[in-house]
Amino acid sequence: KQEVTQIPAALSVPEGENLVLNCSFTDSAIYNLQWFRQDPGKGLTSLLLIQSSQREQTSGRLNASLDKSSGRSTLYIAASQPGDSATYLCAVNVGYSTLTFGKGTMLLVSP
Amino acid sequence: KAGVTQTPRYLIKTRGQQVTLSCSPISGHRSVSWYQQTPGQGLQFLFEYFSETQRNKGNFPGRFSGRQFSNSRSEMNVSTLELGDSALYLCASSLVQPDTQYFGPGTRLTVL
């Protein structure tokens, strides 16, 4: 059974810091890995999708990497801003659009 | 292009009642998935539909059911509601397999 773990569970940083969020999964048989952000009480916003054959994806200040063999992914956020405060979720696609999610990292960026 | 929409946004029901939630995917998307989010369990997969066929189902009791219509709109139904069914129910759609999944705003269900 696929299990996804995210570390740390919570993170508080001052504005401007670069930070790394970690995600690990137990079964390397995945189709892709997706990072989402969720604001309190809201739905999920897709940030980045990495296909299983890819090593990384970039979008603006965000960079996500994938090491399928070791079951790890990282989300790098450069020059963090207060607007980045949210919960960040990692999910692996195990087939048929079935996502297995981690519990998330709650990020707080203070001005 | 309009995003994934879910109705209603909020629902309050009492134990034993039944509820139906609706999801309209992004135009052209044929895959619709449903998830339950609770503080304790996080996000858990309920089921996935593609072209009106349920292709995968999560580990939930039979009280949870769903369907998809020919226009790709989907509904999920929960019968005999329990307090533990209180959650945010999220719907997601995608264009092809496997691909980016786009989530709706969710339906907040409270069972009293």
Side-chain angles (χ1 to χ4, degrees), chain B residues 72-83:
Chain B
S72 293
R73 190 177 69 86
S74 177
E75 289 182 346
M76 68 163 281
N77 184 276
V78 188
S79 62
T80 320
L81 284 166
E82 300 176 1
L83 295 178

Side-chain angles (χ1 to χ4, degrees), chain A residues 32 34 38 96-99, chain B residues 31 35 37 48 56 97 101:
Chain A
N32 56 49
Q34 202 164 348
Q38 185 175 32
Y96 291 133
S97 291
T98 303
L99 295 179
Chain B
S31 172
Y35 295 84
Q37 186 176 32
E48 189 260 356
N56 202 7
Q97 295 294 326
Q101 294 207 36

Side-chain angles (χ1 to χ4, degrees), chain A residues 1-5 24-27 92 100-102:
Chain A
K1 179 190 170 189
Q2 179 75 264
E3 292 184 2
V4 179
T5 303
S24 62
F25 47 96
T26 55
D27 188 344
V92 295
T100 301
F101 283 86

